[in-house]
Amino acid sequence: MMMNQSDGHNARSDVMTPAQRSRCMSKIRGKNTKPELILRRALWRKGYRYRIHYPIEGKPDIVFPGKKVAVFIDGCFWHGCPLHGKKPTNNSDFWRKKIERNIRRDLDVNIALREQHWTVVRVWEHEVADNLDAAVSEIVTVLEA
Ligand SMILES: [Zn+2]
């Protein structure tokens, strides 16, 4: 492989192997940069108070009991995000089935909560990462409705 020494950026990105990089990324993510924590902090800063570990169907990540609003932050891979949910090939049948089960369960949870008059908001992990403001205002819109 040719390394272009004159371009520091390209050279830098070749320093880590994919495995090292993913270990590194998960280390970064583990430190309070989980999407649900980022979203909670943003809502808290705006003055919204919520509950976590609230005992209702599906264990929502953020719950506003007074308004009966339940928010889930769905991981792109595990919940089959249309943008980032991998289309698994060959031997990843196991993962595909697992993800399909998750998607089905998410729908069941939505139905169960709505039957109990909860408003369910689902936010993709990537929405928090890419456009936190939009994710926050989506929830605020529901809360203020
Ligand atoms: Zn995604």
Side-chain angles (χ1 to χ4, degrees):
M1 186 182 68
M2 285 263 293
M3 285 277 274
N4 182 355
Q5 295 297 342
S6 67
D7 188 333
H9 292 292
N10 285 345
R12 185 78 188 86
S13 65
D14 286 326
V15 167
M16 285 191 282
T17 67
Q20 286 171 325
R21 193 179 337 229
S22 96
R23 261 200 305 280
C24 181
M25 290 297 287
S26 65
K27 211 177 267 176
I28 292 166
R29 265 191 224 110
K31 276 227 166 179
N32 279 6
T33 53
K34 282 184 179 163
E36 60 267 35
L37 296 183
I38 293 171
L39 195 51
R40 278 175 198 153
R41 272 203 298 259
L43 287 161
W44 186 274
R45 271 198 304 271
K46 279 188 169 287
Y48 292 98
R49 297 298 177 255
Y50 47 79
R51 297 278 304 274
I52 59 173
H53 309 306
Y54 197 73
I56 53 171
E57 197 88 18
K59 299 184 190 127
D61 296 294
I62 306 174
V63 176
F64 299 89
K67 302 258 184 185
K68 291 204 88 169
V69 172
V71 179
F72 294 87
I73 295 93
D74 291 335
C76 290
F77 179 76
W78 289 111
H79 297 263
C81 162
L83 296 179
H84 309 102
K86 275 210 184 77
K87 297 275 173 287
T89 51
N90 52 42
N91 65 351
S92 46
D93 217 42
F94 172 76
W95 302 114
R96 186 176 54 74
K97 286 196 178 121
K98 204 165 162 54
I99 291 165
E100 280 170 5
R101 261 200 312 278
N102 285 341
I103 293 171
R104 251 197 319 276
R105 201 186 44 218
D106 291 344
L107 294 174
D108 288 345
V109 165
N110 289 354
I111 291 166
L113 286 175
R114 279 168 193 154
E115 276 172 357
Q116 294 159 50
H117 310 291
W118 286 87
T119 303
V120 178
V121 181
R122 287 192 177 269
V123 179
W124 288 113
E125 172 184 24
H126 77 255
E127 294 180 278
V128 175
D130 297 348
N131 197 342
L132 179 61
D133 288 347
V136 168
S137 61
E138 192 187 335
I139 294 163
V140 167
T141 302
V142 174
L143 289 172
E144 302 296 337

